[in-house]
Amino acid sequence: MRNGALAGMRVIECGELVAAPYAAKLLGHMGADVAKVEPPGGDPARRRGPFPDGVEDPERSGLHLYLNQAKRGVVIDWESEQGRARLLRLVAHADAVVVSGAPREIERRGLTYERLSAVNPRVVVTTITPFGMTGPRRDWAATELTEVAAGGWLYISPGALRDPSLPPLKAFGQQADFQAGVHGAIVTLGALFARRELGIGQHVDVSVQACIASNLEMNFMHWTYAGRVASRLGQRAIGPWGIIEVADGPFFLTCIEEDQWQRLVEYLGHPEWADWDVFADRLLRAQNGDVLMPLIEEALQHLTREQAYVELQARKIACAPVFDMAMLRGSDHLAARRFFVEVDHPDAGRLTYPGAPFRFSGSPWEVRRRAPRLGEHTEEVLADWSAERRAAEEAMPA
Amino acid sequence: MSGDGRDALPLAGVRVADFTWVWAGPVSTLQLALLGADVIKVESSLRLDTTRRLPPWAEDVPGANHAGYFNQYSQQKRSISLNLKQPEAVQAAKDLVAACDVVADNFSAGVMDRAGLGYEALRRVKPDVIVVSFSGYGATGPKANYIAYGPVQVPMIGLASLSGYPGLGPSEIGLSYGDPNAGLHAAFAVLTALWHRQETGEGQFIDMSQWEAAIGVVSEAFMDHAMNGRQPARQGNRDQRQAPQGVFPAAEEDEWVAVACWSDEQWHGLCAASGRAELARDPRFATAAARKQHEDELEAAITEWTRGRSWSETVETLQRHGVPSYHVLSNRGVAEDEQLNARGVFSELEHPEVGARRHIGAPWRFGTSDVRVRRRAPLLGEHTDEVLRDVLGYDAAHIAALRACGALE
């Protein structure tokens, strides 16, 4: 019985924070043997938190504990000859190396395809960098905020903003790096498929900026098809649409199609709204959202979020409560699907984590391993990988 | 098409029956198409893909083949038109699946089953088929039949509760973000299942809930709740731990510059760049924690500096000092961005109805495999005959009969 869809695949992750670690996490949960390589000071995610009771501890950072499940931990001192040699010994046995960070630092550490393929021509090297490894701005300094600015997402967020003195708004967290991380996992597998034909690995160069630019919905084509700049202000093309307050908190609803709108006004006891000229179609309802959304809000005042959710969904109207973290953990639906997983950790204890992003009928996602302590498996991985290689070679007929 | 050894396309020889529509599904099959799979989009003139019915249109002239939204996310795919209300069309869809490796759909749970195209039915025509089905809530659970368009995902996954201007309510974030996130996760899942099939000969069914695919992206906040029972406060453009970080006004009307310091070195760079060397020695700003405490003062000082300069001067000065900063690019700014252009990110193939328009191509570059957009988005049903003939092996009489009974509408 194989242990996962990617059983037997060996991946080295040299990442920090989110991008490469998320790519490697996806691979690890599906069965790849992932060695997370960190410098002696550890991945900065270990210093980022959140921490239990706010007390900093590199083994108890929530972001690290989530992102680095399904991996073993290896420490490499990039500044020492011995450290770099040790990395190359791992590379000799690896199928892929997934790297993120600044291009100059990646090159300084020798994590380029040119250098690594000299040790193992079959290795795939995926780099995930803010602007890619080429181009006039490849060495520009960047963080999450500047990446979403450079990719064109920030300018259009939050959308339909009433107060133009407010700046463009970043989404919470490190979304650019998460998306680039999924891209990194996709192309790493892609290059491993290509290896079947090529017989050798290759470099895949992922630009976070380009990943974000490829995710702009219809907004990019507003410029290239119709010469219009789309911004955080503007207005929606569809109404009703937006967040309102019901009895116990914020609630989102929208009617994309006409039949949904008809069912909404009937449920609200105001079928006459559908006859008003100002609400004649979804564009007009968007333009007159100032009038419409307060009307809907008033008509739903007597319901809790859960009641409104059940009642409107029964009428096939797209809506949901604005879930906060407590509501996610309390969701009956997610509980019935056993989405959340409980994982023990010697330092952080037993905690609830987000679980499988997809369910495979034949080769399932599994937690496999808690996040490693810093350097916990340095010797073990090296020994395992060389021993397995030797065993495989000995098993081969002469 | 793929298969030419010199191109070394990762998915050469893989064929996908693509029943997806709107945004999430087409994002997933676009990744597979860019990697070299032959993606055949199944659509119908009787129930047009939503993205064929939404603006922007080329030169504001509406039309199913004029829609920028569709043409962006359908690059590199072929289109076959089938009216799945007709049993003859359902048979053709099954014959298509028999010639495919992967089937993708993002209908609500149960729709494919009712059309006679559920996993069990498809397995009978293609035993090792990989089927990925992504609905808002997944195929099981008490709310499996709830509907969830992309915009509903942002509130559902907790991201709206975490995003927003300080003092104001929860906020949307400008995109139906749950859609591309689900599409990319689904593409990864399909590649993984293809790998498994290559090793074992087994296909499988992948049940993807768009909701579940997206909760990981708020893990930083989720873990705070798991550890401390706490919901992080909305902080606008500020970071939870690092400071300063914000979006600041440039001298030009409604132009903005994003600036962030995630290390002491970057902070010192910002002080030097803005001619405020004394701030670098000020104990109020000596560490990230101290800067976080005095964020209001810091942001006021930075605003005063950025307001007096063009965005380009600010960004260039900051980057010279190693400070993360970028002009907040509009769609036009993206199309004209020097870095994206230098990397050849855009595709601009001639299209018979809209001409050569700029789209975003693959956001990654392969060192050896010749991965790039080779084919513009298809016209509605453009490849119906070609696919029925070459992939399904139907003869002209068979195709004519299908057309006559309305199965190809």
Side-chain angles (χ1 to χ4, degrees):
Chain A
M1 182 70 191
R2 299 175 76 241
N3 187 15
L6 304 181
M9 184 181 290
R10 295 200 190 116
V11 178
I12 300 171
E13 177 230 298
C14 303
E16 50 180 41
L17 291 172
V18 175
Y22 190 61
K25 173 184 166 75
L26 287 167
L27 296 164
H29 285 300
M30 297 313 291
D33 184 0
V34 179
K36 179 181 177 66
V37 170
E38 299 176 81
D43 181 336
R46 292 180 179 272
R47 297 188 291 278
R48 175 127 183 116
F51 300 101
D53 304 318
V55 180
E56 285 204 28
D57 176 340
E59 299 301 347
R60 303 204 299 167
S61 157
L63 187 65
H64 154 70
L65 291 170
Y66 171 72
L67 285 172
N68 295 312
Q69 283 171 349
K71 304 175 190 177
R72 293 194 278 182
V74 170
V75 161
I76 298 277
D77 182 358
W78 300 105
E79 310 311 320
S80 85
E81 197 71 36
Q82 191 197 8
R84 289 192 297 271
R86 178 173 269 180
L87 189 273
L88 293 180
R89 277 165 59 208
L90 282 176
V91 169
H93 304 296
D95 295 294
V97 184
V98 184
V99 186
S100 62
R104 272 195 294 236
E105 186 60 19
I106 290 170
E107 286 163 356
R108 195 181 70 81
R109 292 178 177 183
L111 295 171
T112 60
Y113 180 69
E114 290 68 31
R115 294 278 293 278
L116 301 182
S117 61
V119 178
N120 175 2
R122 287 176 56 79
V123 77
V124 164
V125 179
T126 300
T127 56
I128 309 173
T129 57
F131 304 103
M133 295 293 283
T134 63
R137 295 178 183 165
R138 57 157 238 160
D139 290 320
W140 275 28
T143 68
E144 170 71 24
L145 179 75
T146 67
E147 286 166 355
V148 292
W153 180 1
L154 191 51
Y155 193 86
I156 53 176
S157 176
L161 179 66
R162 291 299 153 85
D163 179 355
S165 71
L166 290 170
L169 177 71
K170 174 186 169 296
F172 169 86
Q174 303 185 47
Q175 304 310 328
D177 279 354
F178 269 106
Q179 295 309 304
V182 194
H183 277 286
I186 290 170
V187 298
T188 299
L189 285 184
L192 287 168
F193 275 110
R195 189 175 73 176
R196 293 174 306 174
E197 191 181 305
L198 287 168
I200 56 165
Q202 61 183 305
H203 174 215
V204 193
D205 178 3
V206 179
S207 150
V208 181
Q209 177 192 26
C211 289
I212 294 307
S214 72
N215 268 9
L216 297 178
E217 209 159 1
M218 74 290 275
N219 293 286
F220 180 72
M221 286 70 67
H222 272 297
W223 177 250
T224 61
Y225 275 60
R228 265 190 294 276
V229 168
S231 89
R232 72 194 186 288
L233 307 169
Q235 64 175 17
R236 306 223 173 272
I238 292 170
W241 175 307
I243 297 170
I244 58 173
E245 283 286 323
V246 296
D248 62 345
F251 186 82
F252 178 91
L253 88 155
T254 182
C255 296
I256 307 275
E257 305 291 353
E258 209 56 32
D259 57 309
Q260 297 162 348
W261 162 247
Q262 294 290 345
R263 291 195 296 273
L264 177 66
V265 294
E266 272 159 37
Y267 173 67
L268 297 180
H270 289 286
E272 73 278 10
W273 293 352
D275 301 327
W276 295 6
D277 288 345
V278 288
F279 302 151
D281 61 32
R282 62 187 181 192
L283 183 60
L284 281 162
R285 292 192 291 273
Q287 286 167 355
N288 298 301
D290 287 10
V291 181
L292 177 57
M293 296 311 286
L295 285 173
I296 296 173
E297 189 169 72
E298 200 185 329
L300 288 172
Q301 267 311 298
H302 60 292
L303 299 182
T304 64
R305 286 171 289 190
E306 185 65 24
Q307 288 168 336
Y309 194 23
V310 171
E311 291 295 324
L312 296 181
Q313 284 281 0
R315 290 160 181 82
K316 293 283 168 209
I317 294 161
C319 65
V322 176
F323 279 83
D324 59 21
M325 299 303 112
M327 292 164 72
L328 284 178
R329 291 181 68 189
S331 158
D332 61 340
H333 183 77
L334 295 172
R337 283 173 60 83
R338 301 177 186 279
F339 171 68
F340 294 110
V341 291
E342 302 265 318
V343 181
D344 279 316
H345 187 281
D347 304 302
R350 190 171 181 80
L351 290 168
T352 302
Y353 295 83
F358 28 62
R359 277 142 204 273
F360 281 54
S361 62
S363 56
W365 183 101
E366 284 174 41
V367 174
R368 299 180 198 279
R369 286 176 178 275
R370 60 161 171 82
R373 287 172 158 167
L374 183 61
E376 185 175 351
H377 310 100
T378 305
E379 301 303 330
E380 179 187 306
V381 172
L382 211 51
D384 276 6
W385 286 14
S386 347
E388 282 172 33
R389 169 63 67 90
R390 268 199 307 278
E393 281 165 1
E394 282 162 17
M396 293 255 279
Chain B
M1 236 16 260
S2 53
D4 179 345
R6 286 166 308 173
D7 298 335
L9 289 174
L11 298 184
V14 170
R15 188 175 286 137
V16 180
D18 180 6
F19 293 88
T20 71
W21 66 334
V22 203
W23 194 22
V27 165
S28 73
T29 51
L30 174 60
Q31 313 308 314
L32 304 175
L34 289 169
L35 292 173
D38 177 14
V39 175
I40 299 170
K41 182 181 175 75
V42 180
E43 48 182 343
S44 169
S45 59
L46 302 176
R47 198 187 181 199
L48 281 182
D49 189 325
T50 309
T51 61
R52 286 197 186 272
R53 293 186 283 128
L54 284 176
W57 318 104
E59 306 309 319
D60 290 329
V61 178
N65 297 320
H66 271 231
Y69 195 177
F70 178 88
N71 288 349
Q72 165 66 35
Y73 294 102
S74 303
Q75 292 180 99
Q76 193 75 6
K77 303 176 188 175
R78 298 199 277 176
S79 163
I80 170 171
S81 172
L82 289 178
N83 172 17
L84 294 173
K85 297 240 157 56
Q86 299 262 14
E88 295 86 347
V90 172
Q91 186 56 50
K94 283 186 184 168
D95 290 346
L96 174 64
V97 169
C100 285
D101 305 282
V102 176
V103 179
D105 84 87
N106 62 325
F107 294 115
S108 302
V111 169
M112 287 291 273
D113 289 317
R114 289 194 294 278
L117 297 169
Y119 176 60
E120 290 308 323
L122 298 184
R123 238 175 120 173
R124 281 195 287 277
V125 300
K126 173 77 176 173
D128 64 349
V129 70
I130 292 163
V131 174
V132 61
S133 184
F134 40 135
S135 53
Y137 290 76
T140 62
K143 294 186 161 92
N145 293 317
Y146 278 29
I147 56 172
Y149 291 96
V152 189
Q153 295 286 342
V154 173
M156 275 170 72
I157 66 177
L159 194 53
S161 79
L162 297 162
S163 303
Y165 300 101
L168 300 180
S171 179
E172 295 179 69
I173 53 168
L175 289 177
S176 295
Y177 178 59
D179 276 351
N181 179 74
L184 293 171
H185 279 86
F188 170 75
V190 167
L191 285 160
T192 304
L194 282 167
W195 191 271
H196 183 71
R197 194 187 67 168
Q198 168 192 286
E199 302 290 311
T200 64
E202 296 163 9
Q204 57 188 312
F205 177 69
I206 304 166
D207 167 21
M208 213 183 75
S209 149
Q210 297 194 37
W211 194 9
E212 290 166 356
I215 293 175
V217 304
V218 300
S219 51
E220 195 165 347
F222 184 90
M223 293 315 297
D224 204 2
H225 197 274
M227 289 170 162
N228 302 310
R230 187 168 60 196
Q231 165 90 13
R234 289 182 286 275
Q235 295 200 35
N237 290 317
R238 292 178 175 180
D239 184 64
Q240 307 291 114
R241 297 181 65 81
Q242 305 290 343
Q245 172 170 296
V247 177
F248 299 95
E252 299 94 335
E253 173 74 19
D254 207 28
E255 295 287 352
W256 305 84
V257 179
V259 182
C261 295
W262 277 38
S263 68
D264 292 339
E265 293 72 32
Q266 291 169 353
W267 161 242
H268 295 151
L270 173 61
C271 296
S274 58
R276 302 290 300 274
E278 78 284 3
L279 294 182
R281 295 186 296 272
D282 190 322
R284 285 177 306 162
F285 309 129
T287 63
R291 291 192 290 276
K292 187 79 194 144
Q293 267 184 3
H294 298 97
E295 237 171 347
D296 289 340
E297 293 155 76
L298 273 177
E299 288 179 7
I302 298 168
T303 301
E304 190 185 330
W305 180 65
T306 61
R307 256 193 212 296
R309 278 159 189 76
S310 68
W311 57 263
S312 61
E313 186 189 338
T314 299
V315 171
E316 278 159 26
T317 308
L318 289 173
Q319 285 290 351
R320 265 203 311 281
H321 288 82
V323 181
S325 55
Y326 218 91
H327 181 209
V328 180
L329 295 183
S330 67
N331 51 7
R332 179 182 185 170
V334 168
E336 294 171 358
D337 182 72
E338 187 184 337
Q339 175 68 13
L340 292 170
N341 276 286
R343 283 181 55 85
V345 168
F346 301 110
S347 57
E348 235 170 45
L349 299 174
E350 187 64 30
H351 180 290
E353 295 200 23
V354 307
R357 303 269 167 183
R358 181 162 287 204
H359 302 94
I360 316 277
W364 7 266
R365 299 195 347 182
F366 281 66
T368 304
S369 298
D370 190 12
V371 168
R372 63 191 154 87
V373 177
R374 294 145 189 264
R375 196 193 266 280
R376 57 158 172 82
L379 307 176
L380 177 61
E382 181 176 355
H383 306 98
T384 304
D385 287 61
E386 173 185 309
V387 169
L388 292 174
R389 188 186 61 229
D390 300 344
V391 179
L392 280 64
Y394 288 6
D395 61 22
H398 192 169
I399 296 171
L402 286 174
R403 184 157 283 126
C405 76
L408 305 184
E409 281 173 18

